[in-house]
Amino acid sequence: MEKMEEYPFLKACRRERTPYTPIWLMRQAGRYMKEYRALRKKYSFLEMCKNPELAAKVTLQPIEKFKLDAAIIFSDILIPLEPMGVEFEFAKGEGPVFHHPLRERKDVERLRLIEPEEDIPFLMKAIRIVRKELDGKVPLIGFSGAPFTLASYIIEGGHSKNYVLTKGLMYQDRPTWDALMEKLSKVLIRYLNAQIQSGVQAVQIFDSWVGCLTPGDYEEYVLPYSKKVMEGVGKSVPLIHFATSNSTLLELMKRAGGDVIGVDWRVNIGEAWARLGYDIAIQGNLDPVILFGPVDLIEKNVKKILDSVGDRPGHIFNLGHGILPTTPLDHVTALIEAVHRYSSR
Ligand code: CP3
């Protein structure tokens, strides 16, 4: 336990001073790595998620290759939906596809409240394996989607451009919306707490698509549920609250909860932090496309971000969103080195 307090990543989450700015990358286990692609030839994505040994192995691949300051368990935000009774598959090249999108109240009534240890044992086992194999090298992050982002997949039946069906339900059938968000919140509290029980040392909540809402709608239809989830998770580990296109939602996201707010590249991170106030930590925010280089461009942009946040403790370096599948590996190495070198104090 004593050693855990020393990890730069966990210290930064608590806004304590660190010898350098810690960095990890959203989607750091994935297709840009040849080791991942080699396994993916033999197994589907969901097979890999559901096999604890494989999930553990993939979690560790980027840790073995790069000097990252945290690991994130290999899984997906959609994993808790299947035991809730929501069927989906990953169609080739299309992302997730749901066969029976949720449209009315009776669809909500049918959703099961899961028991994570029984319904998703593979994830809990993967977490225990990874903690053992990491042997204290870096801390392990667990995660979930936020209620809004998960609701959007269930209602739209997949990824969406304009969220017409999601917002349609929200605006036109408030009781069904509230019932769905309530149920998702309950599930997410159980899901995140089970991951913490299994050994994750921080959690991130991905509200990836919530930036499609007006601040007023976020406050009315989403904030109470995100808040409920974060209150239900408690304070035993740091909690990172992430969204994209969230520049107009920052203050409201802070009100919903989290020890760290994650921002994408569409905001100046220093300005975002000033708006949030320095009583909360911040994570971000390199544009993932900058990683396509050249290396001096990557270094210049790393400096810009570090200069923008200044020397204040409580910054975790990350991309503004997930690393892209064709990102050059040596540029990832260059990024991590640049962050550690320029932030060294
Ligand atoms: O960060 C990590 O390394 C942990 C693993 C992780 C994955 N998905 C693995 C994954 C995490 C944290 C996620 C979160 C996730 N999943 C989000 C929120 C983050 C974000 O990007 O906003 C969302 C929206 C999903 C849903 C999801 N999963 C989509 C839309 C897709 C298909 C899109 C794509 O990139 O192909 C996935 C698949 C997925 N999740 C892959 C990985 C490594 C690619 C699977 C493959 O084909 O090998």
Side-chain angles (χ1 to χ4, degrees):
M1 201 59 187
E2 229 165 57
K3 189 169 171 221
M4 184 171 127
E5 304 302 321
E6 295 305 314
Y7 292 122
F9 166 74
L10 293 177
K11 288 183 87 150
C13 290
R14 302 191 179 99
R15 291 176 292 113
E16 292 164 20
R17 236 168 226 292
T18 53
Y20 55 85
T21 301
I23 172 170
W24 69 280
L25 306 173
M26 286 183 271
R27 294 277 181 101
Q28 65 190 22
R31 286 167 294 188
Y32 73 107
M33 290 186 69
K34 65 175 185 310
E35 293 84 351
Y36 177 86
R37 292 195 302 271
L39 273 178
R40 268 290 269 120
K41 281 196 183 132
K42 291 187 245 167
Y43 307 97
S44 74
F45 171 63
L46 285 176
E47 276 170 346
M48 284 166 60
C49 290
K50 290 178 184 177
N51 177 321
E53 285 77 23
L54 283 178
K57 192 176 166 138
V58 174
T59 302
L60 295 168
Q61 282 174 347
I63 304 303
E64 282 151 15
K65 195 159 201 119
F66 306 110
K67 291 203 173 83
L68 290 158
D69 294 294
I72 179 163
I73 192 70
F74 182 77
S75 184
D76 199 88
I77 60 165
L78 306 178
I79 289 292
L81 299 183
E82 197 170 75
M84 288 182 78
V86 181
E87 288 167 37
F88 66 89
E89 62 176 324
F90 279 93
K92 213 172 164 54
E94 272 184 68
V97 179
F98 292 72
H99 300 296
H100 309 286
L102 181 144
R103 292 293 147 77
E104 49 190 356
R105 186 61 183 258
K106 70 174 179 4
D107 299 330
V108 179
E109 304 308 330
R110 272 203 292 266
L111 297 177
R112 270 190 70 228
L113 290 173
I114 62 168
E115 301 290 344
E117 287 285 357
E118 283 149 44
D119 292 319
I120 315 174
F122 50 87
L123 174 62
M124 309 311 153
K125 189 162 176 212
I127 290 168
R128 289 190 283 267
I129 298 172
V130 171
R131 277 298 304 273
K132 199 157 160 240
E133 302 236 328
L134 277 172
D135 194 25
K137 189 177 175 192
V138 291
L140 177 63
I141 305 168
F143 68 90
S144 78
F148 176 83
T149 290
L150 289 176
S152 81
Y153 278 107
I154 301 174
I155 297 165
E156 302 286 341
H159 194 58
S160 173
K161 198 163 176 228
N162 295 314
Y163 301 92
V164 173
L165 297 167
T166 309
K167 292 184 187 182
L169 190 86
M170 201 170 89
Y171 295 137
Q172 290 148 22
D173 188 355
R174 181 81 192 256
T176 299
W177 174 259
D178 284 329
L180 173 62
M181 292 293 274
E182 186 70 44
K183 223 159 190 177
L184 283 169
S185 306
K186 280 198 180 126
V187 163
L188 292 171
I189 292 169
R190 293 181 186 186
Y191 184 60
L192 287 165
N193 281 327
Q195 292 184 50
I196 294 167
Q197 283 286 312
S198 304
V200 301
Q201 293 145 293
V203 290
Q204 174 155 322
I205 294 181
F206 287 88
D207 213 351
S208 302
W209 313 134
V210 80
C212 71
L213 295 177
T214 67
D217 285 348
Y218 178 84
E219 187 174 13
E220 181 168 353
Y221 297 100
V222 176
L223 190 151
Y225 299 103
S226 290
K227 186 162 187 254
K228 185 175 282 197
V229 171
M230 287 182 266
E231 281 173 358
V233 171
K235 288 273 164 205
S236 65
V237 303
L239 194 153
I240 307 168
H241 185 188
F242 167 79
T244 68
S245 299
N246 59 349
S247 65
T248 61
L249 302 178
L250 291 173
E251 294 83 356
L252 293 168
M253 280 181 67
K254 179 182 180 184
R255 217 209 289 163
D259 302 289
V260 184
I261 299 290
V263 292
D264 75 6
W265 63 91
R266 295 171 181 91
V267 285
N268 173 294
I269 193 167
E271 287 170 17
W273 206 358
R275 267 175 55 202
L276 281 164
Y278 301 120
D279 56 345
I280 193 162
I282 197 156
Q283 174 175 279
N285 73 336
L286 189 76
D287 182 343
V289 179
I290 293 286
L291 282 181
F292 289 83
V295 169
D296 60 357
L297 178 86
I298 297 171
E299 292 180 343
K300 196 172 106 192
N301 280 277
V302 165
K303 269 197 200 134
K304 251 194 220 166
I305 290 174
L306 292 173
D307 287 346
S308 173
V309 296
D311 194 34
R312 193 173 283 110
H315 173 220
I316 297 141
F317 205 104
N318 206 317
L319 303 177
H321 205 175
I323 190 166
L324 296 164
T326 51
T327 302
L329 291 175
D330 51 338
H331 290 185
V332 177
T333 308
L335 164 70
I336 297 166
E337 262 177 31
V339 171
H340 286 159
R341 180 156 30 100
Y342 294 140
S343 66
S344 174
R345 38 195 164 241

